[in-house]
Amino acid sequence: MWLPTDTIRPAAPMARRSFALLAVLLLTVLSSLALLSGCAGYQFAGKEKGIFGDPSSTLRMVEVENPTMYPWLPHRLRSLMRDEVHKRNLARWVDTSPSDYSMRIIISEFRLRSHTRDASDTTLLYSATLGFEAIVYSGTTNSVVWRSGKEYLSRTYDSKNAEEAGTDAASLLVQRVADRMRHSF
């Protein structure tokens, strides 16, 4: 059947119009978000000052109090905290005195349990529970500057061994405490 050419319209102008409308809408939303991020004290987390103020402040670990039967746990928490402070540029980690701040971690609970075993009696699932408090002291007055409060975490892992499950739980809890070091609320 023959149709007159003046009744057939190409679809391209309609598609171009809807794409342009979508692009304008997207730019409006993005610019609104950028403007709002500067309002009312909001800022990106990486720009927010931490509890140590200046990232050039020095921090050292005084001790990790370990009432558990796992001798590897204090060293692991110390290493994880050092790495997290460094990654977030909260402070400069030092190993000896003097320092602007010192930190003490008090472990209140650490449990590792095996759950599921296979036919050869190999553990397939571990549950790890960890609780600790981080306390930051002033290097000059030795007064308490900040306390994390008692933080707890419990997770189940399908790990090769108990130490790996414990390390994963410790890593998540250290990240949570480091998040609170950054935020001022």
Side-chain angles (χ1 to χ4, degrees), residues 92-158:
R92 197 168 45 87
W93 194 272
V94 295
D95 292 323
T96 58
S97 292
S99 62
D100 298 321
Y101 298 94
S102 58
M103 181 185 292
R104 182 173 171 225
I105 293 178
I106 304 168
I107 301 169
S108 55
E109 179 181 3
F110 186 64
R111 282 187 320 225
L112 286 172
R113 301 219 170 134
S114 60
H115 293 286
T116 307
R117 296 181 184 271
D118 62 8
S120 62
D121 205 29
T122 303
T123 302
L124 301 174
L125 282 178
Y126 291 95
S127 68
T129 302
L130 175 61
F132 70 79
E133 179 177 25
I135 306 169
V136 176
Y137 301 91
S138 167
T140 54
T141 64
N142 207 27
S143 60
V144 174
V145 174
W146 181 81
R147 291 181 95 106
S148 68
K150 290 186 180 177
E151 292 283 339
Y152 290 93
L153 181 89
S154 188
R155 293 273 196 278
T156 302
Y157 297 96
D158 55 346

Side-chain angles (χ1 to χ4, degrees), residues 12-166:
M14 182 71 136
R16 273 187 242 142
R17 253 184 275 143
S18 58
F19 179 73
L21 183 62
L22 182 63
V24 168
L25 182 64
L26 182 64
L27 285 174
T28 305
V29 168
L30 288 176
S31 62
S32 298
L33 286 174
L35 287 173
L36 288 176
S37 70
C39 297
Y42 290 105
Q43 52 189 317
F44 295 111
K47 303 281 186 195
E48 196 172 329
K49 287 203 184 264
I51 60 169
F52 307 111
D54 186 19
S56 67
S57 299
T58 56
L59 171 67
R60 70 182 177 95
M61 181 69 71
V62 175
E63 76 173 314
V64 178
E65 225 175 86
N66 182 26
T68 72
M69 62 180 203
Y70 300 97
W72 53 266
L73 186 58
H75 173 70
R76 197 63 43 90
L77 281 173
R78 180 186 303 258
S79 297
L80 289 167
M81 187 62 77
R82 179 196 63 224
D83 294 346
E84 206 59 40
V85 165
H86 176 71
K87 278 191 285 190
R88 294 167 187 254
N89 199 25
L90 290 169
R92 197 168 45 87
W93 194 272
V94 295
D95 292 323
T96 58
S97 292
S99 62
D100 298 321
Y101 298 94
S102 58
M103 181 185 292
R104 182 173 171 225
I105 293 178
I106 304 168
I107 301 169
S108 55
E109 179 181 3
F110 186 64
R111 282 187 320 225
L112 286 172
R113 301 219 170 134
S114 60
H115 293 286
T116 307
R117 296 181 184 271
D118 62 8
S120 62
D121 205 29
T122 303
T123 302
L124 301 174
L125 282 178
Y126 291 95
S127 68
T129 302
L130 175 61
F132 70 79
E133 179 177 25
I135 306 169
V136 176
Y137 301 91
S138 167
T140 54
T141 64
N142 207 27
S143 60
V144 174
V145 174
W146 181 81
R147 291 181 95 106
S148 68
K150 290 186 180 177
E151 292 283 339
Y152 290 93
L153 181 89
S154 188
R155 293 273 196 278
T156 302
Y157 297 96
D158 55 346
S159 300
K160 297 178 205 157
N161 58 44
E163 189 174 335
E164 188 178 290

Side-chain angles (χ1 to χ4, degrees), residues 1-8:
M1 172 174 218
W2 180 80
L3 292 175
T5 57
D6 61 337
T7 59
I8 300 174

